[in-house]
Amino acid sequence: MAWCVTDLTCTYCGASYPGVNLKTAEATWMVCPHCGPGDGILEIGYDLGRVRAAWNTKPLASRPLNHWRYAELLPLEPAAIRHDWPVGWTPVLDAARLARHLGIQQLLLKDEGRNPTASFKDRASSVGVAHALQVDAKTIACASTGNAASSLAGHAALVGLPAYIFVPATAPEPKIAQLQVFGATVFAVKASYDAAYDLCTRACHEFGWYNRNCAINPVLVEGKKTAGLEVAEQSADFGGVPDWIAVSVGDGCTIAGIWKGLQQMHDLGVIDRLPRLLAVQAEHVNPIEYALTHDALPKESDGKTIADSIDVHVPRNWRKAVHAIRDADGVVVTASDEAILDAMRLAGRHGMFAEPAAAAALAGVVSAIESKTIGPHDRVLVMITGSGLKDTKNAIRAGGQPIAIEPTVGAVANAIQGSRRGAEAQRS
Ligand SMILES: [Zn+2]
């Protein structure tokens, strides 16, 4: 396995830092020293010629079906690659019945809920923990709306690395439960995610912890990138690269990571075209939509959404997200809470149990079809970024309550009649 990292580039001032050694770099060396943590988010560069040579020697087809198969496109040394933590290579379901229902050519659902802790974030956390071990960190920390936290806690638990996690006190209970069982030290911050993020960053500086926050740590985005690498490879089984990839957007790192992966696979010749991106935000939490037209974040953002994973008012990686959306000839749409609950039901009725932020991406597709942004001949892939089990309260809101009955056949018959009458009343 070849080391193919070339440099780090500042996404703001463009300065390149070829001398930074990610093999041993301290976590504090994670932002551009000129621009600082506010603007100076770094991007990792690769020598794709070396990657291509390595893939010719050991073809992808011969490698394990998990995200470590892309080792040359990760800033990790061979010893840090952990095939015993299988993450990724999540299934792509061809939801033909749902495509017909929506009136489009093809609808693919990439089920990221199948990852070890049931969300997309395992891609980043596994790479983050592997890198923390590589640089000999003794403690790892992150702030999260919930999924990144539970996934970090899980991967830290795998290797016995102490983890300090900052979540907003309002995070859904199933996510908190995961954290607690994995044995992380959890701080439920009595404030928003944005405040929890700032607190975590300050604590990392104060106590010298490895900072797993994707927005600031460029290593983590490389983990997220593997979803784009995978989609490129898997699309061969589904009639080629989709016309659209729909993904919900909070901090902006996920969409930026996916796009980087797709671009690298395009540059490497694995795919011959690129999809467009459909970026989906919550109706009242849509700073990326604002940033796309204003080149800055909104001064005020205080709306609410049930989709906790994208309830981010100050997206730290907004520039990377905006660059990705522009490069991809992408479109931003928003989804109301009602549309998200509808999409949870719609996905569920077609066999996919999605958490609100994951269903938001599908809600965005529905709205893009209505506005004719997505046409009847389009092929669309939706990133289902987290399992519905991550937020059972909103799942019940979407799915409704079961019918309570006495344990008799008569009660069953009455209940069936009652539910038929209810359905008829709803239709008329
Ligand atoms: Zn800079």
Side-chain angles (χ1 to χ4, degrees):
M1 183 195 129
W3 178 261
C4 302
V5 173
T6 51
D7 62 349
L8 288 166
T9 310
C10 175
T11 52
Y12 187 58
C13 76
S16 169
Y17 301 99
V20 177
N21 183 3
L22 284 172
K23 290 181 184 179
T24 54
E26 292 294 321
T28 46
W29 225 113
M30 288 297 169
V31 294
C32 172
H34 299 301
C35 303
D39 288 314
I41 309 289
L42 296 171
E43 182 83 76
I44 299 176
Y46 294 84
D47 179 341
L48 293 186
R50 295 193 70 184
V51 174
R52 197 177 289 116
W55 288 8
N56 283 337
T57 309
K58 191 165 188 261
L60 287 178
S62 69
R63 300 181 179 208
L65 292 177
N66 58 54
H67 78 336
W68 303 115
R69 64 200 269 102
Y70 308 113
E72 292 85 359
L73 287 173
L74 296 173
L76 297 174
E77 292 196 282
I81 298 292
R82 298 292 298 263
H83 288 291
D84 54 333
W85 309 343
V87 173
W89 206 259
T90 54
V92 176
L93 307 181
D94 190 347
R97 201 163 62 83
L98 182 50
R100 278 197 298 280
H101 174 81
L102 294 174
I104 56 173
Q105 182 72 28
Q106 186 183 48
L107 186 76
L108 303 171
L109 304 175
K110 187 158 171 65
D111 187 4
E112 289 291 308
R114 308 273 192 108
N115 277 305
T117 73
S119 89
F120 182 98
K121 299 295 171 70
D122 284 328
R123 295 179 180 277
S125 292
S126 53
V127 171
V129 170
H131 191 251
L133 294 181
Q134 179 169 297
V135 302
D136 207 22
K138 301 292 180 241
T139 308
I140 193 164
C142 85
S144 162
T145 57
N147 280 336
S150 48
S151 112
L152 175 65
H155 280 88
L158 269 172
V159 289
L161 190 65
Y164 290 92
I165 313 271
F166 298 77
V167 289
T170 52
E173 201 170 47
K175 297 183 184 181
I176 304 278
Q178 270 187 308
L179 287 169
Q180 294 295 120
V181 170
F182 284 136
T185 304
V186 183
F187 303 107
V189 183
K190 296 176 193 160
S192 65
Y193 162 69
D194 305 289
Y197 181 98
D198 286 334
L199 179 58
C200 175
T201 304
R202 289 205 301 276
C204 284
H205 274 288
E206 184 74 24
F207 305 115
W209 300 335
Y210 183 97
N211 188 343
R212 177 247 179 261
N213 289 326
C214 281
I216 204 158
N217 183 336
V219 169
L220 276 292
V221 181
E222 299 305 298
K224 295 189 161 188
K225 180 182 80 179
T226 61
L229 301 173
E230 250 175 59
V231 166
E233 266 200 278
Q234 290 175 318
S235 65
D237 296 334
F238 296 96
V241 178
D243 298 302
W244 292 91
I245 292 184
V247 57
S248 61
V249 179
D251 245 331
C253 331
T254 294
I255 195 166
I258 291 170
W259 181 243
K260 186 174 181 183
L262 289 161
Q263 277 186 315
Q264 287 186 325
M265 290 304 240
H266 188 248
D267 292 343
L268 285 162
V270 175
I271 49 174
D272 57 6
R273 60 187 280 263
L274 286 161
R276 295 177 72 184
L277 292 178
L278 186 77
V280 186
Q281 292 220 278
E283 183 180 21
H284 299 300
V285 188
N286 56 340
I288 299 284
E289 183 184 43
Y290 180 95
L292 198 63
T293 46
H294 295 80
D295 260 321
L297 289 178
K299 295 232 166 4
E300 274 177 48
S301 173
D302 55 8
K304 291 199 180 338
T305 173
I306 58 164
D308 67 291
S309 302
I310 54 169
D311 189 4
V312 178
H313 294 272
V314 189
R316 315 289 161 155
N317 233 335
W318 69 269
R319 277 199 187 86
K320 268 190 191 173
V322 165
H323 289 166
I325 295 164
R326 283 186 185 145
D327 270 4
D329 192 17
V331 174
V332 181
V333 295
T334 61
S336 66
D337 282 356
E338 294 69 33
I340 291 169
L341 289 168
D342 285 346
M344 284 175 77
R345 266 189 302 277
L346 187 63
R349 277 17 173 197
H350 292 81
M352 176 64 65
F353 191 21
E355 74 160 349
L362 178 60
V365 170
V366 171
S367 119
I369 292 169
E370 282 165 3
S371 67
K372 303 202 183 332
T373 304
I374 291 178
H377 300 296
D378 282 345
R379 297 165 49 247
V380 181
L381 182 141
V382 181
M383 280 285 174
I384 302 296
T385 42
S387 160
L389 289 172
K390 289 282 196 169
D391 184 351
T392 45
K393 195 169 112 243
N394 279 308
I396 296 272
R397 273 181 75 186
Q401 294 288 347
I403 306 164
I405 57 164
E406 295 301 325
T408 67
V409 173
V412 175
N414 286 339
I416 292 171
Q417 270 193 344
S419 69
R420 276 199 194 124
R421 274 199 297 274
E424 277 159 22
Q426 257 187 355
R427 274 199 294 274
S428 60

